[in-house]
Amino acid sequence: MKVDIKKFCILTLALALTGFMSPAFAQHDDHGHDDHAGHEHAEGHEEHNQNEEHGEGYDPVATVMHHIADANEFHIWKGVHIPLPVFLYAPDHGWTTGTSAMFEHGHTAVDGYVLNHGRINRVADASFPKGEVHVGHIDHKVETDEAGKEKDVYYVSYENESYKLDAPSTLDGGMMGGGITSFYDFSITKNVFTMFLAALLLIFIFNAVARGYKKNEGKAPSGIQSFFEVFFVFMRDEVTKPMIGEKHYERFQPFVMTLFFFILFCNLLGLVPFFPGSANVTGNIAVTLVLAVFTFIVVNLNGKKDYWQHIFWMPGIPGWVKIILTPVEILGLFIRPFSLMIRLFANISAGHIIILSLIGLIFLFGDNGANTGGAAAGAVVGGLFTAFMNLIELLVAALQAFVFAILSASYIGAAVEEHHHDEAHAH
Amino acid sequence: MGPIGAGLAALGAGIGIGLIGSKAMEAIARQPEAAGDIRSNMILVAALVEGAALFAIVVGLLG
């Protein structure tokens, strides 16, 4: 069984590193449109910017969205966090580095940055003091902009004045929506950490497997090698060979396998509900975008003459149909990786949302701590359904990794295929 | 309107994937020796149908 392990390791690391840019391009996920600004304000609470379920009103939508979003720290339980390194850049101030512990969960502002719901935000006002200052609570307001759209806006209070917070940064600086931000966040966030972890796991495991193949050449596999040989043979015989074809499949085997195992490991780590896991990596549209762009590049760089001819001037059909078909084919070029991106993102996010909603039943039934009997009933009902959903999610984790790999392989197969012009074209 | 559209999209995908599943089961019953091929093609086509539905769901919920 010939597997190019070195290429595989390099690809894995490349995937993880490119994912590094994802926090800068992260979703802005604070869709708490219910107006819970009033009572949040009135509480004078301790944990105001971490856990809305500890506040008076339990807002299931905001809590779920907060939990599937990326964060600059690992939240273990109330008041216990694992800090992560932060690298922030603002054009008008320069770099700010450190760990997320320096923000003291929102109580301290550093160079105008504060931690809001686990995400770093920046005070837009230039008159806000630089360096470490103690700040008051962060208020949430829902404001309507000129277009009549409701937006979540956060204000931090400092010395009896409230300052507006910029939304978390996006890669484009907010030009494509989400508002112009005044800073860039290159931090190792929860998602980036988990991606590194998945990459390192893959590199360690597959180096061990590669050593096994060297040692047992011509013999039966042993140890961890025998566990993974099943996957290799499956990926070769069911995915790459039939999809790409006998002639070219060996060239793309490392790429397709890297996609499969990287997505599988990220999915499985996302299902672990505590520290090393818990990040919603493949449910982040920036991560799936990077993966889909890789497929797009590999497909189009390897496109043969026939592939391009079928896009721009499909042979064997009347001329007027070609005029209609060419724009459709060109659109299809971009829709394919786009659908890869959406499919993985939506499947994994939906799974996380369902599980979090079921856990949220405990807080809903229990009136957020006031009703113990209700909470117990919610725990039984929600717990049973969560166990069931977790089993389904295990299936989905493997299935979506497989679907991403097999679709990538089929797109590559379409690109490298050489047609004989006398045979019928199946499209 | 968004959630209603998302629900309709899920309905369409449910019908589509149900048809794929039922035809695949019939095919496997008729030709059990081709079960492996049919299963992987079934998953592939189901993923394509699901992709269209997920487009609609994402547009419905975000738009």
Side-chain angles (χ1 to χ4, degrees), chain A residues 335-372:
Chain A
I335 289 175
R336 279 181 221 154
F338 191 75
S339 73
L340 280 181
M341 168 182 99
I342 295 286
R343 183 178 300 111
L344 184 59
F345 155 72
N347 267 292
I348 303 302
S349 281
H352 282 246
I353 289 172
I354 292 169
I355 288 175
L356 288 167
S357 309
L358 289 169
I359 297 289
L361 286 181
I362 300 169
F363 298 93
L364 274 181
F365 286 0
D367 289 338
N368 205 24
N371 181 350
T372 320

Side-chain angles (χ1 to χ4, degrees), chain B residues 10-56:
Chain B
L11 193 70
I15 294 170
I17 294 173
L19 281 175
I20 294 163
S22 88
K23 295 289 175 195
M25 289 302 122
E26 277 174 26
I28 291 173
R30 221 177 291 137
Q31 247 181 319
E33 68 274 11
D37 283 349
I38 294 168
R39 197 179 303 115
S40 56
N41 279 314
M42 175 183 84
I43 292 172
L44 186 68
V45 179
L48 290 171
V49 170
E50 186 197 47
L54 288 174
F55 274 144

Side-chain angles (χ1 to χ4, degrees), chain A residues 54-244:
Chain A
H54 297 293
E56 257 188 301
Y58 173 67
D59 182 351
V61 177
T63 310
V64 166
M65 286 305 169
H66 161 59
H67 277 92
I68 67 164
D70 201 1
N72 287 88
E73 61 184 6
F74 266 101
H75 180 206
I76 308 294
W77 58 74
K78 188 178 175 179
V80 181
H81 303 81
I82 294 177
L84 291 167
V86 291
F87 306 101
L88 303 157
Y89 178 77
D92 56 348
H93 181 255
W95 288 92
T96 302
T97 54
T99 69
S100 56
M102 69 185 176
F103 298 108
E104 291 171 348
H105 320 310
H107 299 298
T108 302
V110 181
D111 291 347
Y113 297 107
V114 290
L115 206 59
N116 175 23
H117 288 89
R119 289 284 291 161
I120 288 171
N121 292 37
R122 186 169 189 259
V123 178
D125 201 330
S127 66
F128 193 82
K130 300 289 179 251
E132 291 194 20
V133 289
H134 196 79
V135 292
H137 45 80
I138 294 170
D139 295 325
H140 173 225
K141 290 193 182 111
V142 179
E143 287 181 359
T144 314
D145 63 4
E146 306 91 63
K149 254 188 121 177
E150 285 190 338
K151 278 174 88 175
D152 294 292
V153 186
Y154 294 91
Y155 289 91
V156 64
S157 66
Y158 171 69
E159 288 183 345
N160 299 328
E161 267 192 75
S162 70
Y163 294 88
K164 194 178 171 190
L165 290 180
D166 260 2
S169 66
T170 49
L171 188 67
D172 55 1
M175 282 174 290
M176 307 276 280
I180 305 284
T181 52
S182 57
F183 73 107
Y184 303 91
D185 186 351
F186 298 100
S187 312
I188 311 271
T189 59
K190 223 163 91 168
N191 282 354
V192 178
F193 175 85
T194 311
M195 264 187 283
F196 280 144
L197 187 67
L200 285 177
L201 269 176
L202 281 175
I203 287 168
F204 278 125
I205 289 171
F206 284 90
N207 271 320
V209 173
R211 275 199 302 278
Y213 276 112
K214 272 207 195 86
K215 204 179 73 191
N216 299 329
E217 210 175 340
K219 280 184 275 175
S222 65
I224 197 166
Q225 183 197 358
S226 21
F227 180 75
F228 278 97
E229 174 146 325
V230 184
F231 290 92
F232 295 158
V233 172
F234 176 76
M235 289 305 287
R236 186 190 59 184
D237 291 349
E238 302 290 326
V239 178
T240 50
K241 221 185 237 178
M243 289 295 157
I244 302 178

Side-chain angles (χ1 to χ4, degrees), chain A residues 285-308:
Chain A
I285 202 154
V287 175
T288 59
L289 173 89
V290 171
L291 294 170
V293 165
F294 269 114
T295 298
F296 179 75
I297 292 171
V298 168
V299 166
N300 289 298
L301 282 187
N302 289 292
K304 292 269 162 66
K305 199 179 119 254
D306 281 329
Y307 171 71
W308 293 111

